Amino acid sequence: MKKILITAGILGILAMAGCVKDDTVIIRPVITTTVSFQKNVVPLLTKNCAISGCHVSGGQTPNLTADKAYTSLVSGKLVDTGTPANSVLYLHLIGSLSPQMPMGASPNPGNIEAFVLAWVQQGAKNN
């Protein structure tokens, strides 16, 4: 009886050792309410992107200060309302384009990815 239990235990350990994780699944939050560029997106851009040395006047393009963000994003062709998930802005935020933004910050501060994607999906309005 001991021999059977030991054999079963060894087989169980070997079976568990053979388990590997091949894929990482990323679950992104989804915004289902209307997103206002001025009320939802601009504060996130101001806090995380339009900071000294980054996306401000005289800094990196696009200029994401509150008064310039909309024009910079739309005229710079960084949003794609036809295929929102292919928007350059969104791809930088999720790390599909390098460098991942916001640079030097933890990924997805304030759910910026979800708000930007929802805003673009809703037509990228200056609302």
PDB file of all heavy atoms in Angstrom, residues 77-80 83-91 97 117:
ATOM      1  N   LYS A  77      -3.058  63.286 -36.455  1.00  0.00           N
ATOM      2  CA  LYS A  77      -3.514  61.958 -36.887  1.00  0.00           C
ATOM      3  C   LYS A  77      -3.130  60.862 -35.880  1.00  0.00           C
ATOM      4  O   LYS A  77      -2.739  59.766 -36.253  1.00  0.00           O
ATOM      5  CB  LYS A  77      -2.995  61.632 -38.279  1.00  0.00           C
ATOM      6  CG  LYS A  77      -3.512  62.620 -39.302  1.00  0.00           C
ATOM      7  CD  LYS A  77      -3.056  62.306 -40.687  1.00  0.00           C
ATOM      8  CE  LYS A  77      -3.658  63.352 -41.596  1.00  0.00           C
ATOM      9  NZ  LYS A  77      -3.082  63.527 -42.845  1.00  0.00           N
ATOM     10  N   LEU A  78      -3.288  61.188 -34.605  1.00  0.00           N
ATOM     11  CA  LEU A  78      -2.969  60.231 -33.546  1.00  0.00           C
ATOM     12  C   LEU A  78      -4.186  59.464 -33.077  1.00  0.00           C
ATOM     13  O   LEU A  78      -4.070  58.579 -32.236  1.00  0.00           O
ATOM     14  CB  LEU A  78      -2.304  60.963 -32.377  1.00  0.00           C
ATOM     15  CG  LEU A  78      -1.000  61.674 -32.754  1.00  0.00           C
ATOM     16  CD1 LEU A  78      -0.486  62.511 -31.597  1.00  0.00           C
ATOM     17  CD2 LEU A  78       0.042  60.675 -33.208  1.00  0.00           C
ATOM     18  N   VAL A  79      -5.354  59.826 -33.611  1.00  0.00           N
ATOM     19  CA  VAL A  79      -6.585  59.094 -33.308  1.00  0.00           C
ATOM     20  C   VAL A  79      -7.192  58.611 -34.617  1.00  0.00           C
ATOM     21  O   VAL A  79      -7.103  59.287 -35.641  1.00  0.00           O
ATOM     22  CB  VAL A  79      -7.602  59.939 -32.503  1.00  0.00           C
ATOM     23  CG1 VAL A  79      -7.061  60.297 -31.129  1.00  0.00           C
ATOM     24  CG2 VAL A  79      -7.994  61.196 -33.244  1.00  0.00           C
ATOM     25  N   ASP A  80      -7.778  57.432 -34.578  1.00  0.00           N
ATOM     26  CA  ASP A  80      -8.379  56.826 -35.764  1.00  0.00           C
ATOM     27  C   ASP A  80      -9.787  56.377 -35.392  1.00  0.00           C
ATOM     28  O   ASP A  80      -9.964  55.321 -34.780  1.00  0.00           O
ATOM     29  CB  ASP A  80      -7.527  55.636 -36.206  1.00  0.00           C
ATOM     30  CG  ASP A  80      -8.055  54.931 -37.439  1.00  0.00           C
ATOM     31  OD1 ASP A  80      -9.194  55.223 -37.869  1.00  0.00           O
ATOM     32  OD2 ASP A  80      -7.332  54.073 -37.968  1.00  0.00           O
ATOM     33  N   THR A  83     -10.901  52.833 -36.869  1.00  0.00           N
ATOM     34  CA  THR A  83     -10.421  51.665 -36.122  1.00  0.00           C
ATOM     35  C   THR A  83      -9.743  52.176 -34.849  1.00  0.00           C
ATOM     36  O   THR A  83      -8.510  52.288 -34.783  1.00  0.00           O
ATOM     37  CB  THR A  83      -9.441  50.800 -36.949  1.00  0.00           C
ATOM     38  OG1 THR A  83      -8.421  51.642 -37.485  1.00  0.00           O
ATOM     39  CG2 THR A  83     -10.144  50.056 -38.065  1.00  0.00           C
ATOM     40  N   PRO A  84     -10.547  52.519 -33.839  1.00  0.00           N
ATOM     41  CA  PRO A  84     -10.038  53.146 -32.626  1.00  0.00           C
ATOM     42  C   PRO A  84      -8.869  52.414 -31.950  1.00  0.00           C
ATOM     43  O   PRO A  84      -7.937  53.044 -31.462  1.00  0.00           O
ATOM     44  CB  PRO A  84     -11.257  53.192 -31.703  1.00  0.00           C
ATOM     45  CG  PRO A  84     -12.413  53.244 -32.651  1.00  0.00           C
ATOM     46  CD  PRO A  84     -12.011  52.377 -33.805  1.00  0.00           C
ATOM     47  N   ALA A  85      -8.895  51.086 -31.955  1.00  0.00           N
ATOM     48  CA  ALA A  85      -7.828  50.332 -31.300  1.00  0.00           C
ATOM     49  C   ALA A  85      -6.507  50.439 -32.050  1.00  0.00           C
ATOM     50  O   ALA A  85      -5.469  50.032 -31.529  1.00  0.00           O
ATOM     51  CB  ALA A  85      -8.235  48.869 -31.146  1.00  0.00           C
ATOM     52  N   ASN A  86      -6.524  51.013 -33.259  1.00  0.00           N
ATOM     53  CA  ASN A  86      -5.292  51.245 -34.015  1.00  0.00           C
ATOM     54  C   ASN A  86      -4.817  52.692 -33.917  1.00  0.00           C
ATOM     55  O   ASN A  86      -3.877  53.075 -34.614  1.00  0.00           O
ATOM     56  CB  ASN A  86      -5.478  50.868 -35.488  1.00  0.00           C
ATOM     57  CG  ASN A  86      -5.553  49.372 -35.676  1.00  0.00           C
ATOM     58  OD1 ASN A  86      -5.020  48.602 -34.884  1.00  0.00           O
ATOM     59  ND2 ASN A  86      -6.214  48.939 -36.725  1.00  0.00           N
ATOM     60  N   SER A  87      -5.449  53.478 -33.069  1.00  0.00           N
ATOM     61  CA  SER A  87      -5.023  54.862 -32.880  1.00  0.00           C
ATOM     62  C   SER A  87      -3.615  54.884 -32.297  1.00  0.00           C
ATOM     63  O   SER A  87      -3.320  54.165 -31.340  1.00  0.00           O
ATOM     64  CB  SER A  87      -5.974  55.589 -31.921  1.00  0.00           C
ATOM     65  OG  SER A  87      -7.255  55.709 -32.494  1.00  0.00           O
ATOM     66  N   VAL A  88      -2.763  55.721 -32.873  1.00  0.00           N
ATOM     67  CA  VAL A  88      -1.375  55.820 -32.410  1.00  0.00           C
ATOM     68  C   VAL A  88      -1.331  56.163 -30.917  1.00  0.00           C
ATOM     69  O   VAL A  88      -0.545  55.577 -30.168  1.00  0.00           O
ATOM     70  CB  VAL A  88      -0.600  56.857 -33.257  1.00  0.00           C
ATOM     71  CG1 VAL A  88       0.774  57.129 -32.683  1.00  0.00           C
ATOM     72  CG2 VAL A  88      -0.510  56.390 -34.701  1.00  0.00           C
ATOM     73  N   LEU A  89      -2.162  57.088 -30.488  1.00  0.00           N
ATOM     74  CA  LEU A  89      -2.212  57.458 -29.073  1.00  0.00           C
ATOM     75  C   LEU A  89      -2.496  56.236 -28.206  1.00  0.00           C
ATOM     76  O   LEU A  89      -1.777  55.959 -27.238  1.00  0.00           O
ATOM     77  CB  LEU A  89      -3.288  58.530 -28.848  1.00  0.00           C
ATOM     78  CG  LEU A  89      -3.571  58.916 -27.393  1.00  0.00           C
ATOM     79  CD1 LEU A  89      -2.334  59.511 -26.736  1.00  0.00           C
ATOM     80  CD2 LEU A  89      -4.747  59.875 -27.328  1.00  0.00           C
ATOM     81  N   TYR A  90      -3.508  55.478 -28.551  1.00  0.00           N
ATOM     82  CA  TYR A  90      -3.887  54.289 -27.780  1.00  0.00           C
ATOM     83  C   TYR A  90      -2.772  53.243 -27.804  1.00  0.00           C
ATOM     84  O   TYR A  90      -2.442  52.644 -26.778  1.00  0.00           O
ATOM     85  CB  TYR A  90      -5.196  53.710 -28.315  1.00  0.00           C
ATOM     86  CG  TYR A  90      -5.652  52.476 -27.586  1.00  0.00           C
ATOM     87  CD1 TYR A  90      -6.118  52.554 -26.277  1.00  0.00           C
ATOM     88  CD2 TYR A  90      -5.622  51.230 -28.207  1.00  0.00           C
ATOM     89  CE1 TYR A  90      -6.538  51.423 -25.601  1.00  0.00           C
ATOM     90  CE2 TYR A  90      -6.046  50.096 -27.543  1.00  0.00           C
ATOM     91  CZ  TYR A  90      -6.502  50.191 -26.230  1.00  0.00           C
ATOM     92  OH  TYR A  90      -6.917  49.068 -25.554  1.00  0.00           O
ATOM     93  N   LEU A  91      -2.160  53.020 -28.959  1.00  0.00           N
ATOM     94  CA  LEU A  91      -1.100  52.016 -29.075  1.00  0.00           C
ATOM     95  C   LEU A  91       0.108  52.359 -28.208  1.00  0.00           C
ATOM     96  O   LEU A  91       0.741  51.470 -27.636  1.00  0.00           O
ATOM     97  CB  LEU A  91      -0.693  51.834 -30.537  1.00  0.00           C
ATOM     98  CG  LEU A  91      -1.775  51.230 -31.435  1.00  0.00           C
ATOM     99  CD1 LEU A  91      -1.329  51.244 -32.895  1.00  0.00           C
ATOM    100  CD2 LEU A  91      -2.145  49.825 -30.991  1.00  0.00           C
ATOM    101  N   LEU A  97       3.167  50.297 -29.230  1.00  0.00           N
ATOM    102  CA  LEU A  97       4.163  51.142 -29.897  1.00  0.00           C
ATOM    103  C   LEU A  97       5.116  51.644 -28.827  1.00  0.00           C
ATOM    104  O   LEU A  97       4.709  51.968 -27.714  1.00  0.00           O
ATOM    105  CB  LEU A  97       3.508  52.336 -30.598  1.00  0.00           C
ATOM    106  CG  LEU A  97       2.775  52.070 -31.899  1.00  0.00           C
ATOM    107  CD1 LEU A  97       2.155  53.357 -32.437  1.00  0.00           C
ATOM    108  CD2 LEU A  97       3.698  51.458 -32.940  1.00  0.00           C
ATOM    109  N   LEU A 117      -9.525  55.105 -25.354  1.00  0.00           N
ATOM    110  CA  LEU A 117     -10.151  54.212 -26.326  1.00  0.00           C
ATOM    111  C   LEU A 117     -11.646  54.502 -26.445  1.00  0.00           C
ATOM    112  O   LEU A 117     -12.180  54.615 -27.551  1.00  0.00           O
ATOM    113  CB  LEU A 117      -9.923  52.746 -25.967  1.00  0.00           C
ATOM    114  CG  LEU A 117     -10.521  51.735 -26.952  1.00  0.00           C
ATOM    115  CD1 LEU A 117      -9.944  51.918 -28.354  1.00  0.00           C
ATOM    116  CD2 LEU A 117     -10.302  50.320 -26.447  1.00  0.00           C
TER     117      LEU A 117
END
